Amino acid sequence: TELVKGIMMCQDRNIAAGGSQFAEQVAFGFELTAAQRTMVESYLMRKWMGDASRVNTLALGGVELGEGASFSAGDAVLSLPVLKGASGASVTAGGVADVATLCVGTLDKDVPAIEIEGPVRFSDIVSVTVEEQIGRQHEGVYPLLRATSFEGLDLAKWSLSCSIRGGRKVSLVMVGEDTVCLKVVPPGMMVIVR
């Protein structure tokens, strides 16, 4: 990002545009997350227009949902760095931002551990923990997180932590455009030659 000189704003235009008035300008030396941007917009709307109803955000340290539990924030954008859930947990919101830690309790091939009705934006690096021990009965693909849409999704930057038995190999994969899954494959075949 480049530095902005407040006194020079709008002087780079080739056309005569007038009538612009600035009540307040806020500048940051770093890029804001979606949730931070929403909070700044909400502050400015409340301060200068007396109404922040167009901008709605809720900053939480984290949410932990039990099996089948749901959490609804209406149309608010949730700043949610930690998201923990078990099979069938769901979140409804206008969006979920800043997800950096995803923790899954139990695995189910048919039901995502966490389902989010709304768009999800991730931090640059995401840590995924699967608490259930992975063994022979877990071969296949397990949906961990399903959402309306994803922003900033780069599985190559995600880390995965889980307890594995029997030499199984695990990885994070996308199924379609809306589901992050855990893929568990059996160990390779071993040939002994005498």
Side-chain angles (χ1 to χ4, degrees):
T1 60
E2 295 180 26
L3 293 177
V4 175
K5 294 181 183 177
I7 196 101
M8 300 293 289
M9 289 189 93
C10 298
Q11 288 190 2
D12 62 341
R13 308 295 187 265
N14 293 331
I15 59 172
S20 295
Q21 295 180 352
F22 293 94
E24 181 173 346
Q25 298 171 18
V26 181
F28 296 89
F30 55 91
E31 184 177 353
L32 298 177
T33 65
Q36 290 170 326
R37 190 170 40 256
T38 301
M39 284 188 272
V40 170
E41 291 170 359
S42 178
Y43 158 77
L44 291 171
M45 290 292 290
R46 196 172 18 262
K47 181 176 179 180
W48 294 104
M49 307 299 274
D51 177 24
S53 62
R54 291 186 351 194
V55 182
N56 190 9
T57 189
L58 180 60
L60 302 173
V63 169
E64 181 173 347
L65 300 166
E67 191 167 328
S70 64
F71 175 75
S72 178
D75 63 353
V77 174
L78 296 174
S79 175
L80 201 55
V82 178
L83 182 56
K84 182 175 182 179
S87 180
S90 67
V91 174
T92 302
V96 175
D98 309 322
V99 176
T101 303
L102 180 63
C103 188
V104 175
T106 56
L107 298 173
D108 187 325
K109 282 187 177 182
D110 301 319
V111 179
I114 303 168
E115 185 144 9
I116 298 178
E117 187 177 320
V120 178
R121 177 159 178 75
F122 296 98
S123 293
D124 290 336
I125 299 172
V126 178
S127 171
V128 178
T129 302
V130 177
E131 293 178 340
E132 184 174 350
Q133 186 171 26
I134 297 171
R136 180 173 300 156
Q137 73 278 14
H138 289 108
E139 293 170 5
V141 177
Y142 294 85
L144 299 182
L145 178 65
R146 180 177 295 143
T148 305
S149 64
F150 294 120
E151 291 179 44
L153 177 66
D154 184 357
L155 292 181
K157 293 182 179 179
W158 289 27
S159 65
L160 175 62
S161 174
C162 55
S163 176
I164 306 166
R165 288 187 316 175
R168 267 115 193 106
K169 294 182 177 33
V170 296
S171 60
L172 295 168
V173 297
M174 286 296 297
V175 173
E177 294 183 9
D178 65 348
T179 309
V180 176
C181 296
L182 179 72
K183 183 176 182 180
V184 181
V185 294
M189 186 183 296
M190 190 161 100
V191 178
I192 300 175
V193 178
R194 293 185 184 213

